[in-house]
Amino acid sequence: MPEKALKTVCCDVVNRGVAVYGDNVYLAALDNHVLALDGATGKVVWDQKIQDPGVGYALTVAPLAVDGKIVVGESGGEYGARDFIVALDAKTGEQVWKRYTVPAPDEKNGDTWPKGAYLHAGAPAWLTGSFDPETHTLFWGVGNPSPWLAKLRPGKNLYSDSVLALDPDTGNIKWYYQYTENDTWDYDGNNESVLANITWQGKPVKALLHVDRNGFFYALDRTTGAYLFAEPFTKVMSVTGHLPDGSPIENDAVRPDIGKSIFTCPSFLGGKNWWPIAIDESRNLAFVPTLHACMSMNGTAVSYLAGLPYLGETFEVQPEPDSDGWGEVQAIDINTGKQVWSHKSKQPWNDGMLATASGLVFSGGADGYFNAFDAKTGKILWTSPKMSSGIIGVPTSYQVDGKQYIAVLSGWGGATPIWGGMMAKDPLVAKIPRGGELHVFALP
Ligand code: CA
């Protein structure tokens, strides 16, 4: 890995996993190479560079294999990259299509940006999308516009902070939905799209569920992109509600400016960050790892310089007023967006969720304990021995020779310790060792 590739990696040196497809394992690397490795030997089958390193781009995403193609999205929303999603031929690595997440001025919605801004507009695609074979659609979340200070780029800034519904064969946009318009709070829109069948107004709907950093739990019709509902799941002060057509209602009083400091919730770390929810369709529940954190934010002068951060804001994460702690696990009814049960935590809850058909939900805390919750009630039915670090690795389940296992990584890192402000300085968080262990449990 060339050293300059590490220069423009936001929020720790991370990788979110690989794709396994046919005989190969596919890896996206921080230096913007996508590699196919022989699954049996590890030998490089092909190695495709999709962007130069060190100029604002990085690949932290786990690739997604779809119909003979390997799809990845670029990171770089904090460096003024013009981000994109690209599909490569799984056999050869040749590019099949490339979709910029910010349109050029002569393209549809190119007029949602000031002149020339699209070249350094960010809108990264750093989290793996979801493929729906039923509607033959690829759903991919898009992150914050650049720079962070929205005053410098008036307009809706499409397709930042949006979900794109793409034709996986061509990369053409079928529809989009924007969670936050003209984002100035780094809310991104990258969080996962979960495909679920819900009941809405008495009718079954093929829905897309999304729990956004802006603090809302969303349900969209994934066939048409129509807005169904959005309900807040943590304290919200920036996006405060939605019009009947789904347009977000935003609070201009909490927009920072040069010389104007604001306080708002959630923080840029989000009401939920990228660690995924899980759903239990048979019980109509989604399990949501939640953060209770707010922030102060101030505008600063900024110019674009290749390979340097492009923010225009300073910030500090602060506690949510009247909150019992930094974290929570919530069960939310997927038909209504309303809370069903809650498990509060003094520390932030930075781990993803795993739900089983038998009605268990697995997730680990920053306290180093891994838990099995009762899906229906939230009661903790089992807790692991204390691990040597906090847990942010997403649990997984697999079967070998008829025996089922649950695995999880214990280890602490990512954005929270680096950018977490008062949350990171809280002794309950600051003293968490980095760790780095794999724990595997067998079901009896
Ligand atoms: Ca961001």
Side-chain angles (χ1 to χ4, degrees):
M1 190 71 57
E3 193 151 320
K4 68 176 173 182
L6 306 180
K7 205 178 86 178
T8 56
V9 179
C10 170
C11 319
D12 214 349
V13 176
V14 295
N15 180 276
R16 295 193 174 79
V18 298
V20 177
Y21 189 57
D23 294 330
N24 292 340
V25 175
Y26 296 91
L27 170 72
L30 292 171
D31 61 357
N32 302 305
H33 283 244
V34 181
L35 297 100
L37 309 176
D38 184 293
T41 65
K43 226 179 106 190
V44 175
V45 178
W46 54 255
D47 176 347
Q48 182 75 276
K49 184 177 97 168
I50 62 167
Q51 183 60 247
D52 290 328
V55 293
Y57 296 85
L59 286 172
T60 60
V61 71
L64 184 69
V66 177
D67 271 354
K69 292 175 281 297
I70 302 300
V71 187
V72 298
E74 280 282 4
S75 310
E78 275 63 60
Y79 295 95
R82 186 190 180 202
D83 283 302
F84 57 86
I85 302 160
V86 66
L88 308 175
D89 185 297
K91 286 210 171 81
T92 64
E94 292 301 311
Q95 182 180 303
V96 181
W97 55 259
K98 179 176 182 176
R99 163 62 50 193
Y100 280 104
T101 52
V102 173
D106 59 347
E107 289 178 296
K108 194 178 172 192
N109 292 313
D111 60 357
T112 62
W113 292 86
K115 202 165 171 252
Y118 76 105
L119 292 171
H120 305 299
W126 49 261
L127 198 58
T128 309
S130 302
F131 175 60
D132 180 16
E134 272 185 72
T135 59
H136 197 64
T137 308
L138 180 60
F139 303 99
W140 210 283
V142 181
N144 65 281
S146 291
W148 279 16
L149 185 61
K151 184 98 188 268
L152 303 175
R153 42 170 174 75
K156 283 190 180 177
N157 305 151
L158 293 167
Y159 301 98
S160 67
D161 290 61
S162 301
V163 57
L164 292 175
L166 301 170
D167 180 335
D169 301 327
T170 61
N172 289 338
I173 297 172
K174 295 186 180 185
W175 56 260
Y176 69 91
Y177 175 82
Q178 191 173 34
Y179 303 110
T180 306
E181 295 177 359
N182 190 235
D183 179 16
T184 197
W185 306 285
D186 185 34
Y187 284 152
D188 283 41
N190 300 85
N191 284 356
E192 74 283 5
S193 298
V194 176
L195 314 181
N197 296 315
I198 69 166
T199 304
W200 173 243
Q201 297 180 334
K203 293 192 189 110
V205 180
K206 286 185 184 132
L208 181 157
L209 304 178
H210 168 87
V211 186
D212 199 83
R213 296 233 299 254
N214 72 9
F216 281 84
F217 183 104
Y218 288 88
L220 308 175
D221 181 327
R222 73 175 184 265
T223 307
T224 63
Y227 166 86
L228 303 177
F229 66 80
E231 290 289 339
F233 64 95
T234 188
K235 186 175 174 64
V236 291
M237 289 175 64
S238 311
V239 176
T240 55
H242 295 77
L243 297 174
D245 72 353
S247 303
I249 300 166
E250 300 183 5
N251 179 6
D252 287 339
V254 297
R255 289 180 170 275
D257 199 350
I258 295 169
K260 180 188 169 190
S261 183
I262 59 92
F263 176 85
T264 195
C265 313
S267 80
F268 62 91
L269 292 173
K272 181 190 96 70
N273 210 297
W274 71 270
W275 35 83
I277 67 166
I279 58 165
D280 182 336
E281 267 185 333
S282 69
R283 293 170 182 86
N284 299 314
L285 293 173
F287 308 100
V288 179
T290 307
L291 280 181
H292 291 285
C294 303
M295 64 179 168
S296 63
M297 208 167 226
N298 196 15
T300 59
V302 68
S303 309
Y304 173 75
L305 284 167
L308 288 179
Y310 189 40
L311 302 182
E313 288 176 352
T314 57
F315 46 82
E316 184 187 40
V317 173
Q318 297 180 5
E320 182 186 292
D322 307 321
S323 174
D324 309 332
W326 298 104
E328 185 181 10
V329 178
Q330 302 184 65
I332 290 177
D333 187 318
I334 59 176
N335 294 330
T336 64
K338 305 285 188 201
Q339 187 190 81
V340 175
W341 57 255
S342 154
H343 172 84
K344 298 269 178 71
S345 162
K346 292 282 177 207
Q347 291 160 308
W349 203 281
N350 287 19
D351 194 28
M353 299 281 146
L354 170 72
T356 70
S358 58
L360 299 176
V361 180
F362 289 91
S363 189
D367 58 5
Y369 291 101
F370 186 56
N371 310 286
F373 296 91
D374 182 326
K376 257 188 168 157
T377 64
K379 193 177 159 209
I380 293 180
L381 302 174
W382 169 84
T383 301
S384 74
K386 189 171 166 70
M387 298 177 182
S388 64
S389 176
I391 301 169
I392 53 173
V394 180
T396 189
S397 181
Y398 58 94
Q399 201 176 56
V400 180
D401 295 335
K403 197 168 178 71
Q404 190 179 358
Y405 298 87
I406 304 277
V408 71
L409 291 163
S410 158
W412 193 247
T416 298
I418 301 173
W419 301 108
M422 287 172 73
M423 183 164 75
K425 287 186 199 128
D426 183 327
L428 284 172
V429 178
K431 291 193 175 143
I432 300 171
R434 278 240 147 182
E437 295 171 344
L438 173 64
H439 292 258
V440 179
F441 302 90
L443 298 192

